[in-house]
Amino acid sequence: MAKKRKKDDGDGGAASWMNTFADLMNLLLCFFVLLFSMSSVDADKFEALVQSLEHSFSILPQGGSSIGDGQMVAAGVNQLQLLDQYYKEGANSTTDIEGENNEEEDAEKALKEEYTEAGLKESEEMAEQIEIMLEEQKIGDQVELDANAQFVRLTLNGALLFDSGQSKIREDALPLVDKLSLILESYDSNLIDIEGHTDNVPINNEKYENNDVLSAYRAFAVKNYVLEKTSLQAGKINATGCGEYSPVADNSTPEGRARNRRVEIKIYNSYNSN
């Protein structure tokens, strides 16, 4: 009977060697995969940038962000070349808006200057007419007259109208106020302001606690008298007490204080009467 051949002990050694070789190949494969993944970091970041631009600016179609041979090859990638043009157009648009704003400002400034010139011209014409009427009424030497782009101002010395510390119009000053009332009635469509002013000498009595109150009483005294003597509407005449806060002369001298004790009547032109 033939004997069976025993298996070669070398076969077992060959199988062990193959296992070790396979483990080594797996390790090398993992190593090269790791190297490849590390070399692909920049590409991944670039792809993330593309996706960010797609969502932020809506310039790339969905899915157009492939990476190959170090360049983006999808259709959406080519549109990145338009990004510089996009920003340039935005800058030009901003410049155009700034130019339009400057044009609007220039037009508004020109309109304002034209408005001011027209107002000044009308005020000067009113002042000439009022000066003629003052001379006709023979009170030109008792009234100071000046004009600006808003109004014509008639200034009356307070000492002519009121006794010291009082708000009742003096009897001998009533003819002056009567003549002024006739002039004011000629401007019934214009806004009229009557302002009372004082010097800085303090006052404190039972009726007037300070110069503000005294100046307000004097302004209202003139307003009420003008309304009684004319057909002017009360809504067209304002009365204001300005106290000592708008001096026209030095309060350290008697002459200056006398000038500061005054009543101003402002007749606004048609551009400033609304």
Side-chain angles (χ1 to χ4, degrees), residues 134 137 139 143 154 156 161 175-185 226 230 265:
L134 290 174
Q137 298 289 341
I139 57 173
V143 180
L154 291 76
L156 307 172
L161 301 179
L176 172 61
V177 183
D178 288 336
K179 294 176 181 179
L180 284 174
S181 299
L182 293 175
I183 295 175
L184 296 179
E185 195 170 21
V226 170
T230 66
I265 301 176

Side-chain angles (χ1 to χ4, degrees), residues 97-239:
I97 293 175
E98 292 177 352
E100 291 177 358
N101 291 338
N102 291 335
E103 290 179 359
E104 291 178 359
E105 292 177 359
D106 292 341
E108 183 178 353
K109 183 178 179 181
L111 181 61
K112 185 177 181 180
E113 291 177 353
E114 182 179 353
Y115 181 89
T116 301
E117 291 177 0
L120 180 59
K121 181 178 179 181
E122 182 178 324
S123 293
E124 291 175 346
E125 292 175 352
M126 290 170 55
E128 292 176 0
Q129 296 171 357
I130 293 174
E131 185 175 12
I132 293 174
M133 288 187 281
L134 290 174
E135 294 299 329
E136 291 175 349
Q137 298 289 341
K138 302 186 184 307
I139 57 173
D141 58 341
Q142 300 177 24
V143 180
E144 294 182 14
L145 186 66
D146 65 280
N148 58 31
Q150 293 181 304
F151 52 76
V152 176
R153 176 167 44 206
L154 291 76
T155 303
L156 307 172
N157 191 318
L160 295 175
L161 301 179
F162 307 101
D163 290 327
S164 178
Q166 300 298 319
S167 62
K168 182 180 179 181
I169 300 176
R170 293 163 50 103
E171 290 293 332
D172 57 355
L174 292 178
L176 172 61
V177 183
D178 288 336
K179 294 176 181 179
L180 284 174
S181 299
L182 293 175
I183 295 175
L184 296 179
E185 195 170 21
S186 302
Y187 299 93
D188 55 351
S189 61
N190 297 69
L191 180 65
I192 298 174
D193 273 351
I194 300 176
E195 296 179 352
H197 297 264
T198 68
D199 57 27
N200 66 346
V201 178
I203 182 174
N204 187 357
N205 55 39
E206 295 180 356
K207 190 172 183 179
Y208 314 110
E209 58 186 66
N210 54 45
N211 283 324
D212 293 347
V213 175
L214 175 60
S215 63
Y217 268 86
R218 287 180 171 177
F220 275 97
V222 175
K223 172 184 174 178
N224 293 334
Y225 189 85
V226 170
L227 289 175
E228 290 177 1
K229 295 296 181 178
T230 66
S231 60
L232 293 172
Q233 298 179 2
K236 284 289 188 177
I237 303 180
N238 298 321

Side-chain angles (χ1 to χ4, degrees), residues 30-61:
C30 292
F31 176 72
F32 283 110
V33 169
L34 178 62
L35 289 179
F36 178 77
S37 64
M38 293 176 64
S39 66
S40 302
V41 171
D42 293 339
D44 293 339
K45 290 183 178 180
F46 196 69
E47 184 173 2
L49 173 62
V50 173
Q51 294 176 355
S52 175
L53 290 173
E54 175 185 346
H55 293 297
S56 299
F57 300 103
S58 301
I59 62 173
L60 299 176

